[in-house]
Amino acid sequence: MVARSKGCALCVQRRVRCDQRQPGCAKCEAYGKPCPGYGPRFKFVAGKPYRSQRRLKSTSEQNGSSPDSLALVDSRTVLQLTGEPGSCSSIAPAAMNVTQCLDILIQEISKPFPVTSGHVTSRLFGSLPTVYGRNRTLDSTIRSFTAHHIGNMTSDKRAVQYARQVYIESLYRLRVSLNNPRECYSSEVFCAVMILCLYELFTNTHETDAWMKHAKGLSQLVELRGAARFQSDFDHVLLKASRGLIVMYSLFSGERCFLASNEWHTVMIQHPNTGLGADLARLVEQFFVFFTFAPSLVHQLYDLKDADHTQPDIVAKADELLARALAMQRKLLAWFAEFSAVTPVPVETRSSTGDARFPIVLYYSDESSASMFCGYYSYMVIIHEILRVCGYPGQHATTVVYFRDQICMSVEYNARGLLGPNRMGFPFKVAWEVADPATKAWIQVCLERLSNVYAAVHPQNLG
């Protein structure tokens, strides 16, 4: 710990020049927050306060390049990435790295779209600078995730190794936090669990079910917190960022999806994402209400796929599932008619890569609408597969192929950037389940490429 520079704590945190007015500065007053004052403050030099044992320094550490600090990302590299040399000249590298590298990560996560993207995962990372420093467990998860990606961007293996070390530390701290009754249900711990789950999704190619373990923990924490705890904007950003993982965990684990209840539906439609516009934000929330029922539909579908449909109990189950699927189909068709009226529909264009399997691809207005269209295509694949299995009249096999191909034609646009594979993870899984051998081979090639940055889409995870 080392003493900080002059100025009140909030101005230092916001990185603005403090006028040091007594008893409180005018900058805080203009910002709309109470001035915290000018008492002694400290800055964090990553790694050192958390050590319990002394150890001999290596030669590199004696020269000032400690492998236990985010300062191992060379400050010149950070300046090159930010493109703002003037803004960092007075900041020591060790103090600069968490905030500067987090800013770089936010820029990288948003690409190729604007930083102001309305996509909920982008909003989650955009909020991290405002919560960094609140909680040691959350801070360590933020440092781990940030160091991993900065290390990849700069080809710095030490940074990636440091990220893994801090990840292990984060797991220990999380265990302590979850055993603390005053801390376990806090927004900060919830955010830490979410980031740890994302860390596994991006990094772990060795354990196909690693993300499932974290998604299970995430699901359990959200359910235990209860709907009543989601009050603040930050809580709602966290819920919206995590619900896709919760639904997918339910889908693949066979467990019920607790979000499929009126209580949770009421919570989810609160605090809509204003960055999308009122109508689009409302339709996004409505779709997620429908999406929470997908796991139970899929579970019933797989129970019936290989069943003897001449048995009375199987016939009764098939009739029940058919009624549910037809009702959901009506809701989805009505939703899609309204959705396509408020957001531009995709246009067909030639593949920029000259893809032989899908030479014509879909181009969307933005990544949020692309994600919603792909979610709709995926749900319609599920619905028509149910109708086919239940023997309902119609060309369901042909319709399944159509929506499957719409998913594949969306890859070139919606799988771009660091979060692209995350957006396409569920649609890819659905498309794979109904693909012919040639399309499966094409999907596998795509996933092998995307898994270089997002481990959860590694082909071995398809089963």
Side-chain angles (χ1 to χ4, degrees):
M1 304 282 281
V2 296
R4 286 209 68 139
S5 59
K6 295 179 180 180
C8 77
L10 184 56
C11 284
V12 171
Q13 180 184 355
R14 295 175 57 215
R15 292 156 57 193
V16 299
R17 186 182 298 277
C18 182
D19 60 10
Q20 300 183 49
R21 189 186 72 180
Q22 298 289 345
C25 77
K27 285 290 179 69
C28 288
E29 182 178 320
Y31 188 59
K33 297 284 187 180
C35 182
Y38 308 92
R41 298 177 308 281
F42 302 90
K43 69 181 178 183
F44 174 68
V45 180
K48 304 231 173 163
Y50 297 149
R51 292 193 194 127
S52 58
Q53 296 181 349
R54 295 178 62 88
R55 60 182 177 84
L56 295 176
K57 292 183 178 180
S58 65
T59 303
S60 64
E61 291 176 281
Q62 292 170 357
N63 292 333
S65 57
S66 167
D68 284 337
S69 170
L70 269 176
L72 56 82
V73 180
D74 191 280
S75 60
R76 290 169 297 179
T77 304
V78 174
L79 293 177
Q80 182 180 6
L81 289 169
T82 58
E84 299 175 358
S87 65
C88 307
S89 58
S90 62
I91 305 175
M96 170 185 72
N97 273 291
V98 174
T99 52
Q100 289 276 332
C101 292
L102 191 53
D103 286 344
I104 295 167
L105 176 61
I106 293 169
Q107 295 276 347
E108 189 67 19
I109 276 178
S110 301
K111 290 178 181 178
F113 306 100
V115 178
T116 55
S117 164
H119 194 270
V120 68
T121 310
S122 298
R123 290 182 65 210
L124 167 63
F125 281 97
S127 68
L128 293 185
T130 66
V131 298
Y132 185 78
R134 289 185 187 178
N135 178 277
R136 296 179 78 183
T137 299
L138 176 57
D139 287 357
S140 62
T141 64
I142 290 174
R143 290 200 312 277
S144 175
F145 192 93
T146 303
H148 173 79
H149 288 286
I150 294 296
N152 279 344
M153 291 167 61
T154 59
S155 299
D156 191 332
K157 293 181 180 179
R158 291 185 307 156
V160 175
Q161 183 181 14
Y162 164 78
R164 190 65 186 177
Q165 292 171 349
V166 180
Y167 169 75
I168 295 170
E169 173 193 320
S170 300
L171 293 178
Y172 168 78
R173 291 193 174 280
L174 178 62
R175 189 179 302 114
V176 174
S177 294
L178 291 174
N179 287 328
N180 184 339
R182 293 179 297 178
E183 190 180 4
C184 62
Y185 295 133
S186 68
S187 303
E188 289 77 20
V189 170
F190 178 20
C191 186
V193 172
M194 180 68 191
I195 294 174
L196 287 171
C197 187
L198 288 172
Y199 180 93
E200 286 289 348
L201 286 164
F202 275 98
T203 64
N204 199 334
T205 58
H206 306 295
E207 297 179 71
T208 58
D209 62 344
W211 76 270
M212 285 280 286
K213 296 174 184 176
H214 283 275
K216 178 179 181 179
L218 180 68
S219 301
Q220 290 174 336
L221 179 60
V222 172
E223 187 172 16
L224 287 171
R225 285 188 95 221
R229 290 183 186 270
F230 292 87
Q231 300 292 335
S232 68
D233 286 338
F234 182 52
D235 273 328
H236 279 270
V237 169
L238 286 169
L239 178 60
K240 294 179 195 306
S242 63
R243 60 190 177 184
L245 287 171
I246 294 171
V247 172
M248 284 199 292
Y249 170 73
S250 173
L251 196 68
F252 299 139
S253 69
E255 297 183 12
R256 69 177 182 88
C257 182
F258 66 88
L259 293 178
S261 69
N262 290 333
E263 180 184 28
W264 283 101
H265 292 167
T266 300
V267 171
M268 286 193 295
I269 64 175
Q270 296 171 354
H271 294 251
N273 185 349
T274 54
L276 300 178
D279 287 339
L280 182 55
R282 174 181 57 81
L283 288 165
V284 167
E285 297 309 315
Q286 187 178 6
F287 181 83
F288 266 96
V289 167
F290 297 155
F291 192 48
T292 61
F293 294 108
S296 61
L297 288 169
V298 171
H299 298 162
Q300 286 184 270
L301 169 62
Y302 277 91
D303 285 343
L304 291 172
K305 262 196 167 183
D306 299 320
D308 183 356
H309 284 250
T310 63
Q311 297 295 320
D313 60 327
I314 299 299
V315 172
K317 290 180 180 179
D319 288 344
E320 178 192 357
L321 177 58
L322 179 60
R324 290 188 63 205
L326 289 171
M328 184 57 70
Q329 183 187 37
R330 289 191 293 270
K331 291 177 182 178
L332 287 170
L333 290 173
W335 174 89
F336 186 73
E338 192 173 355
F339 178 72
S340 56
V342 301
T343 191
V345 296
V347 296
E348 292 187 349
T349 186
R350 286 194 173 277
S351 168
S352 62
T353 64
D355 188 89
R357 182 71 183 171
F358 294 99
I360 301 299
V361 297
L362 296 175
Y363 193 90
Y364 296 84
S365 59
D366 57 77
E367 83 282 21
S368 294
S369 64
S371 299
M372 295 309 299
F373 274 105
C374 287
Y376 171 76
Y377 304 148
S378 303
Y379 215 152
M380 292 305 283
V381 167
I382 294 170
I383 293 297
H384 282 278
E385 186 67 4
I386 290 173
L387 299 182
R388 183 189 67 80
V389 170
C390 291
Y392 190 75
Q395 300 296 317
H396 303 300
T398 302
T399 306
V400 164
V401 170
Y402 168 78
F403 284 115
R404 180 204 72 196
D405 288 352
Q406 295 293 103
I407 293 170
C408 295
M409 292 165 64
S410 304
V411 171
E412 187 169 309
Y413 182 93
N414 203 35
R416 295 180 298 168
L418 197 59
L419 288 180
N422 175 279
R423 293 191 294 268
M424 288 301 299
F426 176 69
F428 259 137
K429 177 68 174 175
V430 171
W432 172 272
E433 290 293 328
V434 295
D436 58 88
T439 305
K440 280 190 175 182
W442 182 88
I443 292 174
Q444 183 167 346
V445 170
C446 289
L447 294 183
E448 287 173 349
R449 172 174 52 86
L450 296 175
S451 65
N452 290 329
V453 294
Y454 191 67
V457 296
H458 196 281
Q460 65 185 358
N461 289 338
L462 293 174

